[in-house]
């Protein structure tokens, strides 16, 4: 048997004005360079989304080359500057995923630099050849589903979610945050169409992606129809027909998560760990951080300081004498993939996570992300049966530790208001622990007009469909928070923090002074108040 | 063996049962928990589908019931123990001390003027205050005062004594003690009625949070000429009269999520009545009723609704609704659904047709009597179709809302039916 020689396949993105012309020049000048690269012309290097890089790698590319005009030469003034920031971020993400930044390269090549183009191609091909093949498993082509079976699938979803119980009273519409700004959307019409047998539209219906799955409708429905479950079921079906959402960050998030599901390479996701934090490999308490480390890299440009959250959580636990297990083998919980229709990935991630937790010998798992908690508590246990470890949100842990007298806080009355995230509140029913924890940390909690099970949504869920409705919802929520006169809006969810501050950082219709309230994560606020 | 019968609950169902029994020659002990008989019907302004004045048709029955030679009306009392079986139940009745001698008090009301305390009036749904010594309402039967021991400073702190000084009949006795009466009866009719569900836990309606959101029973008191506002409809926020009224149906009813999957069976009709009354009071009133289904099934009910639309300009919108508020004007904003589109409309006042629930004491009474209650607290009939009102305990019968949602005519019919069955039981037991 002869071993086949490894020939790297490389995707090269070239900007229209400089690099592609440079490639042209290399060609007409008859310069020789390896044929491993497939060139994709884009108008500007600023057009290249981190998603493209990850998707190329996921689909089997061994390396990705990004080229553009030299800084200062961009034909769109600053497109390449944006590209530089993005590619820096992408490299960090690749490092964390264990794929490594060496599999991509960013080069500035002008139209006159044919020589440089050829040289870059040679160098990069050799670099990739030395690295060997892409470590991600090859993707098997997806089988197209049979449209004739949609009806059966939909009937099962209708049955599972009690959608036939809908009496068309319209109460869901009256509380739906999306319906408030999008007259074409109402939870009940999505269900109604399906239960009337109009199911073919699952292939084209965009309403399934309009929903923010905040479960306001579920909590209000007199007949307990599980609208969000219905939407999730429909999404799983819709993606099979390429009816996919327009994702935030161009789908980068989902890609990072999907790679975690398939990949077998070691990640490096614990870069947030500071030397003064005590953690262990085995122990009673496991701290499941969620994707915060990736979010930290992805949103490095924004003033979010996301790595402060896991640091705060470990600090709180250390203070109470707990040395939590944190694991580099932890992967994404699969929440966002599950809610964008990829159940298969959820199952793969579930298997990895449950194995990691079992191997640690933990009896209690603490979450600082409500989405992870929801996914473990509801989705994982639905599939795998009840776990023998306990699952709690950090607010519940703090509440308990305070009651046991293990945490002491500084005096200093702060006035704060709490954002009940949909997963923590309506999905899991955890309302009092975060408030108790804040009160214990000597904060005065003032309530917004809509609070607890009526809390307004942060506008986006599962990184799907961030549109003008999302922005309006965020502004509404921030206005409410500002109106309370609180010094700070405390959230118990990474996503609420990310989405709500996004509205503050960008242009909005309302004056900034109506929405400029500092937003902080619950764990950070608690950790700051520790004695 | 005894031919006496006990009726528990002095609302319209209990009154009807007591009157029927008394007319048949039985001795009836009517036990009522509050200081006066009359029940919920006494609180209503008008009754559907005839728009009769509620108290005008009820008061003569109350008076008859009290003065009938065969009746013994025991108010301010509760049943605390029952032993024995059909033909000879031994019933313990706790007669609470009312600190006023019922035989001496004439209900003149001179004590009221002197009493310094203020307590939200239960009868007026908290919209106005009563004194610690009080008569729940003008037409109360018996027409005697009662001292509420929790709020009387003479009883709680030993200070005051104004009412005793004012009473020319020397009817006040602060030393009065609760008494246990032991009665032997052959059969028992249970007609303990309902409470209005408190909608403040359903925060989507804003009750308790937005001042201009009322419950239907509050509205009934308000629109009643003898009520706290003397029949003027007033907003809580600014005491102004509303023009645009919204009535929201099924608040807490037909809602398994909050634990009441049943239809309250009256709110389609009473909201229609209330919106008609609004227009009768003022020509410019505009009412909108937000409903899930219009359940106007009894005789004349649908015609009543047609009349409301045609003659009173009542608008019906087929949608459930939730309430927001315009923070500046305190105008409630009703959010509803038309064909899957969210709509919102500002009103001056919102009236919530809250569901009706069995009184919470009914469950304790069920234990005492050995009756079964369903998951919602309604007392269960052993036979629902052909012998409605019959229970698992021979000799005990049900009537009115305690046995399940019913309107006034149904409650009256059930009262009569329970009375007839009680007589039958006594005859069969050899009484």
């Amino acid at each position: 048997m002869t071993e086949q020689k490894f020939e790297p396949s490389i995707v090269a993105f070239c900007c229209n004005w400089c690099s592609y012309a440079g490639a042209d020049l290399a060609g007409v000048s008859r310069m020789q360079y390896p044929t491993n690269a497939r060139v994709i012309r884009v108008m500007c290097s600023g057009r290249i989304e981190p998603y493209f890089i990850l998707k190329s790698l996921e689909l089997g590319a061994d390396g990705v080359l990004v080229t553009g005009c030299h800084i200062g030469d961009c034909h769109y003034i600053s497109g390449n500057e944006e590209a530089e920031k993005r590619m820096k971020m992408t490299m960090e993400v690749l490092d964390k995923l264990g794929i490594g930044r060496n599999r991509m390269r960013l080069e500035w090549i002008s139209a006159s630099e044919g020589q440089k183009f050829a040289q870059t191609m040679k160098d990069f091909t050799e670099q990739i050849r030395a690295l060997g093949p892409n470590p991600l498993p090859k993707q098997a082509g997806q089988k197209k589903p049979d449209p004739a079976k949609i009806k059966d699938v939909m009937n099962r979803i209708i049955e599972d979610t009690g959608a036939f119980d809908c009496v068309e009273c319209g109460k869901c519409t009256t509380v739906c945050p999306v319906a408030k700004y999008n007259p074409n959307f109402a939870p009940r019409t999505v269900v109604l169409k399906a239960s009337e047998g109009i199911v073919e539209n699952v292939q084209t219906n965009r309403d399934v992606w309009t929903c923010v799955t905040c479960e306001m409708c579920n909590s209000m429905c007199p007949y307990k129809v599980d609208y969000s479950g219905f939407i999730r079921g429909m999404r799983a079906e819709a993606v099979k027909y390429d009816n996919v959402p327009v994702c935030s960050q161009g789908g980068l998030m989902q890609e990072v998560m999907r790679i975690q599901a398939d990949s077998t390479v070691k990640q490096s996701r614990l870069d947030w760990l500071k030397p003064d934090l005590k953690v262990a490999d085995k122990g009673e308490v496991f701290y499941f951080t969620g994707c915060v480390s990736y979010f930290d890299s992805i949103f490095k440009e924004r003033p979010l300081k996301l790595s402060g959250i896991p640091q705060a959580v470990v600090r709180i636990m250390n203070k109470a004498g707990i040395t939590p297990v944190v694991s580099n083998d932890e992967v994404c919980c699969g929440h966002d993939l599950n809610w964008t229709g990829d159940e298969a990935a959820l199952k793969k991630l579930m298997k990895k996570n449950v194995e990691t937790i079992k191997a640690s010998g933990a009896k209690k798992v603490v979450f600082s992300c409500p989405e992870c908690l929801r996914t473990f508590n509801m989705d994982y246990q639905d599939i795998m049966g009840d776990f023998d470890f306990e699952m709690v949100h950090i607010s519940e842990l703090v509440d308990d530790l305070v009651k046991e007298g293990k945490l002491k806080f500084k005096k200093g009355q702060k006035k704060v208001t709490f954002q009940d995230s949909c997963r923590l509140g309506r999905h899991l029913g955890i309302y009092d622990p975060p408030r108790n924890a804040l009160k214990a940390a000597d904060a005065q909690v003032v309530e917004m007009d809509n609070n607890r099970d009526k809390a307004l949504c942060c506008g986006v869920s599962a990184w799907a469909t961030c549109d003008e409705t999302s922005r309006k919802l965020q502004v509404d929520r921030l206005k409410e928070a500002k109106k309370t006169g609180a010094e700070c809006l405390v959230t118990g969810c990474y996503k609420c923090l990310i989405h709500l501050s996004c509205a503050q950082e960008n242009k909005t219709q309302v004056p900034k002074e109506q929405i400029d309230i500092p937003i902080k994560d619950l764990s950070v606020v608690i950790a700051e108040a520790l004695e | 063996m005894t031919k006496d019968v006990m009726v528990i609950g002095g609302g319209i169902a209990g009154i009807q049962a007591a009157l029927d029994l008394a007319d048949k020659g039985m001795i009836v002990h009517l036990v009522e928990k509050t200081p006066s008989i009359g029940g919920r019907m006494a609180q209503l302004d008008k009754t559907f589908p005839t728009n009769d004045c509620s108290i005008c048709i009820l008061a003569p029955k109350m008076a008859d019931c009290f003065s009938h030679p065969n009746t013994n009306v025991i108010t301010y009392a509760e049943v605390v123990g029952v032993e024995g079986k059909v033909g000879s139940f031994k019933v313990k009745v706790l007669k609470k001390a009312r600190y006023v001698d019922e035989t001496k008090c004439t209900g003149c009301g001179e004590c009221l003027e002197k009493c310094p305390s203020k307590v939200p009036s239960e009868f007026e749904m908290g919209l106005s205050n009563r004194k610690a010594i009080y008569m729940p309402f003008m037409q109360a039967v018996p027409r005697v005062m009662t001292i509420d021991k929790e709020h009387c400073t003479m009883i709680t702190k030993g200070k005051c004594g104004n009412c005793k000084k004012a009473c020319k009949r020397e009817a006040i006795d602060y030393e009065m003690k609760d008494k246990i009466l032991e009665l032997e009866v052959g059969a028992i009719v249970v007609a303990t009625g309902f409470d209005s569900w408190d909608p403040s836990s359903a925060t989507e309606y804003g009750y308790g949070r937005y001042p201009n959101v009322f419950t239907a029973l509050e509205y009934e008191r308000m629109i009643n000429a003898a009520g706290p506002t003397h029949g003027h409809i007033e907003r809580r926020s600014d005491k102004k009269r509303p023009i645009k009224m919204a009535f929201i149906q099924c608040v807490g009813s037909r809602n398994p999520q909050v634990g009441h999957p049943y239809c309250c069976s009256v709110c389609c009709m009473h909201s229609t009545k209330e919106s008609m009354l609004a227009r009768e009071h003022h020509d410019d009133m505009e009412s909108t009723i937000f409903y899930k289904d219009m359940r106007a099934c009894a005789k004349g009910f649908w015609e009543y609704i047609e009349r409301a639309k045609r003659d009173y300009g009542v608008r019906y919108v087929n949608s459930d609704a939730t309430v927001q508020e315009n923070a500046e004007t305190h105008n409630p904003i009703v959010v509803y659904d038309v064909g899957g589109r969210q709509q919102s409309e500002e009103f001056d006042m919102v009236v919530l047709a809250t569901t009706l629930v069995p009184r919470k004491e009914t469950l304790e009474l069920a234990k005492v009597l050995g009756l079964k209650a369903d998951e919602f607290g309604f007392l269960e009939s052993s036979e629902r179709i052909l012998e409605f009102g019959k229970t698992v305990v021979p000799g005990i019968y049900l009537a009115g809302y305690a046995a399940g949602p019913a309107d006034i005519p149904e409650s009256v019919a059930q009262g009569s039916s329970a009375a007839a069955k009680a007589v039958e039981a006594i005859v069969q037991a050899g009484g």
Side-chain angles (χ1 to χ4, degrees):
Chain A
M1 263 182 37
T2 53
E3 204 167 293
Q4 228 177 354
K5 204 180 155 224
F6 166 60
E7 275 302 332
S9 54
I10 292 169
V11 175
F13 291 101
C14 297
C15 94
N16 179 59
W17 304 105
C18 294
S19 314
Y20 195 81
D24 244 4
L25 181 61
V28 293
S29 317
R30 307 279 168 104
M31 289 173 193
Q32 297 295 315
Y33 59 88
T35 56
N36 297 57
R38 309 286 180 279
V39 172
I40 298 175
R41 176 163 62 160
V42 290
M43 287 310 286
C44 175
S45 54
R47 170 68 186 94
I48 301 159
E49 306 211 14
Y51 167 75
F52 297 171
I53 319 280
L54 267 73
K55 189 75 191 174
S56 308
L57 292 167
E58 196 209 348
L59 292 175
D62 300 303
V64 183
L65 179 66
V66 177
T67 57
C69 308
H70 285 274
I71 297 291
D73 286 354
C74 179
H75 287 56
Y76 305 104
I77 301 168
S78 61
N80 51 4
E81 287 166 21
E82 294 304 317
E84 194 176 21
K85 281 186 209 159
R86 282 174 160 191
M87 293 311 129
K88 217 173 112 198
M89 174 260 270
T90 313
M91 287 175 187
E92 213 174 306
V93 171
L94 287 177
D95 278 347
K96 284 193 176 167
L97 284 169
I99 297 170
R101 62 175 68 211
N102 297 345
R103 290 203 178 267
M104 71 169 291
R105 186 188 282 189
L106 175 66
E107 283 290 347
W108 306 135
I109 299 170
S110 78
S112 59
E113 292 175 324
Q115 186 63 44
K116 186 175 181 187
F117 184 84
Q119 195 54 43
T120 303
M121 281 298 185
K122 277 182 212 158
D123 291 353
F124 192 56
T125 308
E126 284 319 307
Q127 179 183 331
I128 300 298
R129 200 190 300 282
L131 282 173
N134 173 357
L136 297 177
K138 292 277 173 287
Q139 294 294 307
Q142 281 223 330
K143 227 172 57 186
K144 277 276 167 204
D146 179 6
K149 288 210 174 123
I150 299 182
K151 208 151 210 163
D152 297 341
V153 176
M154 291 307 292
N155 282 345
R156 183 181 51 78
I157 300 171
I158 288 170
E159 202 169 301
D160 288 352
T161 56
F164 266 136
D165 294 346
C166 171
V167 296
E168 295 168 42
C169 70
K171 198 165 182 182
C172 51
T173 319
T174 73
V175 292
C176 175
V178 177
K180 186 174 180 189
Y181 294 114
N182 181 348
N184 298 318
F185 181 81
R188 76 179 182 94
T189 47
V190 179
V191 164
L192 187 66
K193 275 184 205 151
S195 51
E196 278 176 353
I198 310 167
V199 290
E200 281 70 24
N201 70 353
V202 73
Q203 301 178 38
T204 51
N205 185 358
R206 299 302 296 167
D207 284 351
V208 292
W209 301 112
T210 307
C211 172
V212 291
T213 66
C214 71
E215 290 206 349
M216 191 71 114
C217 44
N218 287 30
S219 75
M220 278 297 102
C221 176
Y223 290 91
K224 300 190 228 178
V225 174
D226 179 9
Y227 290 99
S228 66
F230 187 89
I231 292 280
R232 196 173 61 174
M234 252 181 107
R235 285 178 175 184
E237 204 51 23
V239 289
K240 293 180 190 161
Y241 297 94
D242 297 329
N243 177 9
V244 292
V246 179
C247 290
S248 330
Q249 314 296 322
L252 168 67
M253 300 296 184
Q254 277 84 354
E255 207 48 48
V256 168
M257 292 158 184
R258 207 166 283 131
I259 288 176
Q260 290 182 53
D262 293 324
S263 158
T264 49
V265 286
K266 206 163 178 55
Q267 309 171 72
S268 47
R269 54 152 59 212
L270 296 179
D271 62 327
W272 53 268
L273 261 182
K274 289 232 177 112
D276 63 320
L277 301 172
K278 277 183 284 176
V279 293
D281 291 333
K282 284 196 189 308
E284 294 271 295
V285 181
F286 190 104
Y287 168 40
F288 193 91
T289 58
C291 290
V292 66
S293 172
Y294 288 101
F295 295 159
D296 184 46
S297 298
I298 292 168
F299 297 115
K300 203 131 240 178
E301 292 288 322
R302 290 175 51 191
L304 294 171
K305 297 201 185 80
L306 289 168
S307 59
I309 302 173
Q311 288 164 0
V313 172
V314 176
R315 198 156 284 140
I316 294 167
M317 291 205 224
N318 286 170
K319 195 82 181 178
I322 302 170
T323 308
V325 179
V326 291
S327 173
N328 190 38
D329 296 334
E330 175 193 320
V331 287
C332 161
C333 68
H335 173 276
D336 295 345
L337 293 174
N338 191 29
W339 286 92
T340 43
D342 192 347
E343 281 173 25
L346 172 86
K347 287 182 185 158
K348 287 183 208 162
L349 292 162
M350 170 179 76
K351 218 167 139 252
K352 290 186 181 181
N353 279 327
V354 174
E355 272 168 18
T356 306
I357 289 169
K358 289 209 166 141
S360 74
K363 296 207 171 59
K364 184 188 256 187
V365 185
V366 179
F367 296 85
S368 51
C369 171
E371 297 188 333
C372 299
L373 178 56
R374 188 223 125 94
T375 307
F376 268 74
N377 206 333
M378 299 164 96
D379 304 310
Y380 284 9
Q381 294 202 86
D382 272 357
I383 303 171
M384 299 187 74
D386 287 356
F387 291 139
D388 50 9
F389 49 80
E390 192 193 347
M391 290 158 286
V392 294
H393 185 245
I394 178 69
S395 63
E396 293 175 290
L397 181 77
V398 171
D399 194 14
D400 290 346
L401 292 174
V402 168
K403 279 179 194 146
E404 290 164 23
K406 288 187 182 160
L407 285 177
K408 293 270 180 311
F409 294 100
K410 288 184 282 208
K411 287 269 167 265
Q413 205 43 267
K414 295 177 289 294
K415 202 164 145 193
V416 300
T417 184
F418 183 72
Q419 155 77 350
D420 293 278
S421 75
C422 54
R423 263 58 183 170
L424 194 62
R426 282 184 290 271
H427 288 234
L428 291 163
I430 299 172
Y431 296 110
D432 287 321
R435 290 174 168 80
N436 293 346
L438 283 168
K439 279 175 201 155
D442 206 30
Q444 181 201 349
V445 183
V446 286
E447 295 291 354
M448 288 180 261
D449 284 348
N450 293 294
N451 54 61
R452 300 175 76 95
D453 60 327
K454 303 291 182 300
L456 299 184
C457 175
C458 70
V460 188
S461 90
W463 307 106
T465 318
C466 176
D467 56 13
E468 81 239 56
T469 304
S470 314
R471 186 61 91 221
K472 284 175 186 162
L473 297 177
Q474 288 154 0
V475 167
D476 279 358
R477 193 49 168 168
L478 289 168
K479 271 194 195 160
E480 275 192 4
K482 183 77 185 175
K483 219 178 80 186
T484 59
E487 288 164 49
C488 168
L489 171 62
V490 181
T491 74
C493 176
Y494 310 153
K495 303 281 185 71
C496 289
L497 174 67
I498 295 168
H499 298 321
L500 289 173
S501 35
C502 173
Q504 290 178 329
E505 290 159 25
N506 288 290
K507 264 189 194 152
T508 48
Q509 301 263 335
V510 297
K512 277 279 172 264
E513 59 270 20
Q514 287 183 19
I515 57 169
D516 63 341
I517 176 167
I519 309 174
K520 278 187 176 175
D521 187 83
L522 179 73
S523 316
V524 174
V525 174
I526 305 256
E528 277 173 2
L530 283 173
E531 241 178 23
Chain B
M1 284 300 149
T2 167
K3 283 189 177 181
D4 291 9
V5 182
M6 175 166 288
V7 176
I8 307 173
I12 184 60
I15 289 172
Q16 185 64 39
L19 275 174
D20 277 16
L21 286 161
D23 285 345
K24 288 182 172 76
M26 320 296 278
I27 303 296
V28 186
H29 305 282
L30 175 63
V31 180
E32 166 59 37
K33 194 183 70 179
T34 69
S36 166
I37 58 170
R40 291 294 181 190
M41 187 177 168
Q43 286 179 286
L44 307 182
D45 183 45
K46 298 284 192 303
T47 57
F48 60 80
T50 51
N51 285 2
D52 275 310
C53 160
S54 185
I55 193 71
C56 311
I57 56 176
L58 176 66
K61 274 192 184 272
M62 288 160 65
D64 280 359
C65 183
F66 188 71
S67 54
H68 199 291
N70 288 347
T71 59
N72 169 27
V73 175
I74 314 166
T75 53
Y76 217 43
E78 284 168 47
V79 171
V80 290
V82 174
E83 277 168 17
K85 58 181 176 58
V86 57
S88 60
F89 288 110
K90 303 227 164 22
V91 187
K92 272 190 189 155
V93 176
L94 169 72
K95 172 98 179 84
K96 291 177 278 185
R98 76 192 314 155
Y99 306 101
V100 175
D101 188 335
E102 287 173 31
T103 55
K104 288 182 188 161
C105 178
T106 59
C108 69
E110 286 197 26
C111 50
L112 295 183
E113 288 163 26
K114 299 285 186 281
C115 178
S117 24
K118 275 184 186 165
V119 185
S121 162
E122 297 87 354
F123 185 81
E124 304 293 1
M125 301 310 290
L127 292 178
S128 67
N129 291 329
R130 61 167 171 82
K131 299 293 178 69
I133 184 164
Y134 70 109
M135 199 155 61
F137 53 102
M138 291 287 286
Q139 298 83 354
V141 170
R143 204 178 150 68
V144 291
M145 295 295 164
T146 305
I147 293 178
D148 163 3
K149 68 176 174 188
E150 276 164 33
H151 295 100
C152 171
T153 51
M154 190 62 195
I155 294 167
T156 54
K157 296 179 197 146
K159 284 181 196 155
C160 185
N162 286 358
C163 51
K164 188 162 192 168
K165 280 173 228 151
C167 184
K168 298 191 178 83
R169 301 269 301 169
E170 295 180 343
I172 313 275
D173 172 11
Y174 298 120
E175 304 301 319
M176 198 180 269
K177 294 275 177 298
D178 292 355
K179 270 190 295 193
I180 296 280
L181 311 177
E182 291 193 6
L183 299 165
E184 194 183 354
V185 295
I188 300 172
V189 174
V190 184
T192 48
F194 65 86
D195 259 331
S196 174
W197 182 64
D198 179 2
S200 35
S201 61
T203 51
E204 68 268 30
Y205 297 110
Y207 179 77
R209 195 151 60 105
Y210 305 145
N212 297 323
V213 178
F214 289 79
T215 65
L217 217 43
E218 285 173 341
Y219 177 83
E220 289 277 356
R221 288 316 303 152
M222 203 159 46
I223 201 162
N224 188 292
T229 56
H230 309 289
H232 298 292
I233 310 169
E234 281 176 6
R235 282 151 54 99
R236 270 198 198 97
S237 63
D238 52 12
K239 305 287 166 212
K240 280 195 187 131
R241 175 169 71 81
I243 291 177
K244 274 188 83 178
M245 304 274 305
F247 293 84
I248 300 177
Q249 303 300 95
C250 298
V251 173
S253 322
R254 301 180 61 202
N255 191 332
Q257 180 101 275
V258 298
H260 315 123
Y262 55 86
C263 163
C264 80
S265 94
V266 289
C267 82
C268 288
M269 295 304 292
H270 76 57
S271 292
T272 300
K273 173 194 76 184
E274 284 157 10
S275 49
M276 278 175 155
L277 294 180
R279 178 59 78 88
E280 274 183 5
H281 278 227
H282 299 280
D283 258 356
D284 58 353
M285 297 285 265
E286 293 167 20
S287 298
T288 306
I289 297 181
F290 295 93
Y291 68 101
K292 270 189 204 165
D293 287 310
M294 199 38 77
R295 294 189 166 177
C297 308
K299 195 185 267 182
F301 282 12
W302 187 252
E303 290 75 1
Y304 189 68
I305 284 169
E306 285 297 312
R307 203 171 121 215
K309 287 184 199 166
R310 202 178 50 238
D311 300 346
Y312 293 81
V314 180
R315 179 176 133 215
Y316 288 82
V317 176
N318 186 356
S319 166
D320 209 332
T322 53
V323 184
Q324 303 273 324
E325 193 191 44
N326 178 335
E328 280 161 30
T329 56
H330 290 297
N331 283 348
I333 299 167
V334 174
V335 187
Y336 58 103
D337 165 308
V338 173
R341 292 199 169 210
Q342 197 186 93
Q343 313 278 327
S344 53
E345 193 173 331
E346 206 166 305
F347 288 87
D348 299 327
M349 183 185 278
V350 167
V351 177
L352 304 177
T354 53
T355 194
L356 307 178
V357 292
R359 284 184 187 270
K360 57 178 184 296
E361 302 89 340
T362 308
L363 281 180
E364 289 155 39
L365 184 66
K367 264 185 222 146
V368 169
L369 297 175
L371 299 180
K372 275 190 193 157
D374 66 13
E375 55 189 305
F376 318 116
F378 289 117
L379 298 174
E380 271 191 303
S381 292
S382 52
E383 168 57 72
R384 293 180 63 100
I385 308 291
L386 296 179
E387 280 184 299
F388 185 85
K390 198 174 159 185
T391 66
V392 286
V393 184
I396 301 185
Y397 303 96
L398 309 176
Y401 215 98
D407 60 13
I408 293 172
E410 270 179 277
S411 297
V412 170
Q414 288 174 13
S416 289
S417 146
K421 286 200 184 76
V423 174
E424 205 178 287
I426 288 171
V427 170
Q428 278 172 0

